[in-house]
Amino acid sequence: MPLLPSTAAAAAAALPRLRLRLPLPPRHCPHPLTPLRCAPHHSSPHPRLLPLAAALPPPPPEELPPSQATGLVAASQANFMRVIVDAAAPGLEHHRGSDLLCVVRALLKKIRRRVLVGDRVLVGAVDWADRRGMIEDVFERRSEVADPPVANVDRLVVLFSLDQPRPEPATLTRFLVEAESTGIPFVLVFNKAELVDEQTITYWRDRLKSWGYDPLFLSVDQQSGFSALEEMLEGQTTVVVGPSGVGKSSLINALRHNQNISEEDPIHKLLEQNSKWFGEQRVGTVSKKSGKGKHTTRHVSLLPVAGGGFLADTPGFNQPSLLKVTKQSLAETFPEIRKMLKANEPSKCLFNDCVHLGEHGCVVKGDWERYPYYLQMLDEIKIRETIQLRTFGTKREGDVRYKTGIMGVKQAEPRLELKKHRRVSRKKINQSILDEIEDDIDDLEDDYWFDAKQHSRR
Ligand code: GDP
Ligand code: ZN
């Protein structure tokens, strides 16, 4: 029987068949770093969005049967995922560091537990000779980036260039706010250092310092200034973000080719065996236009870098959506405001929900460079929140129509007009996972209604 999202519980109930029991999707957000997808269950403005990853820790290797393994999803392409094995049953340890070509168990899709590159997963039905398997579950996620869709990201590199194009304070602020809003540590890097003089570099260093940042400067062309960055990336999963033209793809390529991976490194084996796979995902050939059409998915690979880390081969948020930022949380994404609030402790703004517009009793003053950007973004977010409330929040009778499903059960669904409206507003939400999730759910529902129709005709 096809499954509606509302029957996810029933789907999950069928799970004890798996060797490792899977919990139901949690009712509360287990991941403070993924606010976008983890709105509380009851008050969610969009009730169809559920938390995505199970709060399940990986099992100890000795509990794995020979047909199972755990590993890291290093790449996705079409319906396949490459999983690098990190643990296998006793006697099969030599498979660590090699990889398996996997499909995702259909049930995971049906209960909307999405598998992302960067996820640690449980693989079952492993055929060690053919190097194939099936992803049966996803382990707890530390963090999640929506664009590109990568889980367990440890660090973002926010990349700008000093010239061609020059840094634009408003754009820079937008990227910084977006990066801050992920909760993932990030480093700000300026590329194309060879195009400017020392004074320009000092100017930007001082200016950024007054904003609360300590940027790195390098030149991909000259291969200079890399060491500090490479040190930072060691052992981490990193995503490079920034506007177009600043050299993101060039940086990714340079870091990829710069790697000095020792022969003892388990990843060395993988690179030898699978150089083709990792070479295939060429930077620049990835479509930057996904989000259009129903089944466009962005293909992402994690490229192994020296020291055990990974670098996403696809750069991220070319256009920061600020979707995770709320009226209230915006202030926290400005180091200047954080500093002022801290300096005033223990006294606070008079009103708990102060958005720092210089009202009576507000401890945030307006005499800092980026205050106008703060105000601009606050306005933008207010407008977005109003639209969101109108689109998802109000449940007027006219917004809803009813369909009769299997056995005459009435199901409410939003009117098509509403959906159209949502699509328009979603255009702004470039390449977010949200689109993909919704499309998947839409498909699921379409199938459901189609089947229900067939059923009632019989
Ligand atoms: P992306 O859009 O951010 O991925 O940027 P690309 O990697 O495509 O680079 C945009 C342009 O900047 C290309 O023409 C690169 O050759 C050039 N570029 C990248 N790094 C440097 C650098 O360090 N110095 C100079 N002068 N040009 C660079
Ligand atoms: Zn205030």
Side-chain angles (χ1 to χ4, degrees):
M1 189 187 84
L3 292 162
L4 251 198
S6 59
T7 57
L15 288 176
R17 274 190 289 130
L18 302 183
R19 204 186 112 70
L20 287 161
R21 293 189 54 181
L22 312 179
L24 292 175
R27 300 218 122 224
H28 58 88
C29 173
H31 317 294
L33 296 183
T34 56
L36 177 62
R37 232 68 57 197
C38 284
H41 217 62
H42 305 293
S43 60
S44 167
H46 201 311
R48 298 194 305 174
L49 294 181
L50 291 173
L52 296 175
L56 192 73
E62 61 272 16
E63 283 184 17
L64 290 168
S67 63
Q68 284 188 334
T70 61
L72 171 85
V73 179
S76 76
Q77 196 154 50
N79 289 321
F80 294 99
M81 296 199 153
R82 284 269 165 181
V83 176
I84 304 175
V85 174
D86 59 20
L92 294 166
E93 295 92 348
H94 56 284
H95 289 295
R96 281 191 59 222
S98 64
D99 73 325
L100 299 170
L101 183 62
C102 297
V103 290
V104 178
R105 196 186 170 96
L107 193 56
L108 286 188
K109 289 186 183 169
K110 289 190 171 164
I111 62 171
R112 279 173 293 157
R113 191 168 297 150
R114 201 168 179 84
V115 186
L116 296 180
V117 167
D119 266 325
R120 291 206 57 215
V121 292
L122 177 72
V123 182
V126 178
D127 179 335
W128 290 109
D130 263 4
R131 318 214 57 75
R132 283 171 187 269
M134 178 186 284
I135 295 174
E136 291 186 343
D137 199 12
V138 185
F139 300 123
E140 190 172 8
R141 225 170 249 167
R142 290 192 309 279
S143 66
E144 182 183 322
V145 171
D147 175 22
V150 181
N152 296 323
V153 174
D154 300 301
R155 191 181 290 277
L156 302 175
V157 171
V158 179
L159 190 70
F160 273 75
S161 54
L162 288 163
D163 204 355
Q164 300 175 20
R166 284 194 192 156
E168 225 269 280
T171 314
L172 197 44
T173 296
R174 235 183 138 76
F175 274 90
L176 291 170
V177 165
E178 181 85 336
E180 293 263 6
S181 78
T182 63
I184 298 168
F186 66 90
V187 55
L188 174 61
V189 178
F190 284 102
N191 183 27
K192 312 197 189 182
E194 93 286 357
L195 293 181
V196 301
D197 54 19
E198 258 320 301
Q199 275 165 320
T200 310
I201 293 180
T202 307
Y203 167 83
W204 280 108
R205 179 171 281 130
D206 292 347
R207 190 165 177 188
L208 265 297
K209 199 169 172 206
S210 77
W211 296 7
Y213 297 101
D214 184 15
L216 296 177
F217 296 86
L218 54 76
S219 163
V220 175
D221 260 16
Q222 312 270 302
Q223 296 268 311
S224 65
F226 267 64
S227 51
L229 181 63
E230 280 182 320
E231 253 169 53
M232 267 186 204
L233 305 189
E234 259 185 38
Q236 312 246 305
T237 295
T238 306
V239 170
V240 180
V241 305
S244 58
V246 298
K248 296 182 298 297
S249 310
S250 312
L251 178 66
I252 292 166
N253 273 328
L255 288 172
R256 171 161 50 174
H257 294 133
N258 251 14
Q259 54 187 282
N260 269 323
I261 294 178
S262 85
E263 286 189 18
E264 282 88 64
D265 200 321
I267 223 69
H268 182 77
K269 181 171 154 192
L270 184 68
L271 283 173
E272 270 189 343
Q273 285 173 356
N274 278 296
S275 50
K276 186 163 168 282
W277 171 262
F278 285 110
E280 247 170 72
Q281 295 269 327
R282 295 182 71 90
V283 174
T285 58
V286 175
S287 163
K288 293 187 177 168
K289 286 188 181 158
S290 67
K292 283 188 185 168
K294 269 209 149 185
H295 295 283
T296 40
T297 314
R298 298 184 83 197
H299 302 298
V300 190
S301 291
L302 292 181
L303 307 165
V305 292
F310 292 94
L311 181 68
D313 74 339
T314 307
F317 42 98
N318 262 333
Q319 288 184 341
S321 66
L322 305 183
L323 261 186
K324 293 182 198 171
V325 191
T326 65
K327 275 203 302 275
Q328 295 303 326
S329 72
L330 180 64
E332 291 153 28
T333 67
F334 282 80
E336 301 95 318
I337 299 186
R338 293 202 296 258
K339 199 169 149 199
M340 277 186 258
L341 291 171
K342 198 151 194 282
N344 267 284
E345 276 175 355
S347 48
K348 292 179 178 160
C349 296
L350 187 59
F351 300 105
N352 264 346
D353 58 352
C354 182
V355 288
H356 318 304
L357 294 171
E359 311 92 321
H360 170 68
C362 177
V363 302
V364 174
K365 304 290 164 253
D367 58 349
W368 45 289
E369 187 194 344
R370 295 201 298 162
Y371 192 50
Y373 299 135
Y374 171 73
L375 297 179
Q376 244 171 38
M377 292 171 94
L378 189 63
D379 271 347
E380 178 186 328
I381 291 164
K382 275 181 184 167
I383 292 168
R384 191 204 67 213
E385 286 184 354
T386 310
I387 293 172
Q388 276 178 333
L389 195 69
R390 228 179 22 225
T391 312
F392 305 128
T394 54
K395 277 275 162 270
R396 283 175 294 122
E397 189 64 10
D399 290 343
V400 176
R401 67 172 170 172
Y402 293 90
K403 276 185 168 178
T404 306
I406 288 170
M407 292 192 273
V409 178
K410 264 192 169 187
Q411 297 272 356
E413 70 156 27
R415 280 198 185 282
L416 279 176
E417 292 77 31
L418 186 67
K419 216 165 160 182
K420 228 189 269 164
H421 182 53
R422 212 171 65 208
R423 294 237 183 260
V424 173
S425 73
R426 271 209 263 115
K427 258 188 197 162
K428 292 183 198 147
I429 309 168
N430 243 353
Q431 300 171 344
S432 80
I433 300 180
L434 199 64
D435 283 332
E436 290 184 34
I437 297 166
E438 289 206 16
D439 286 344
D440 277 3
I441 297 168
D442 285 348
D443 289 348
L444 216 61
E445 283 184 347
D446 290 345
D447 291 346
Y448 174 82
W449 291 118
F450 179 74
D451 281 9
K453 243 193 236 158
Q454 301 289 79
H455 189 266
S456 65
R457 278 208 192 115
R458 269 183 231 144

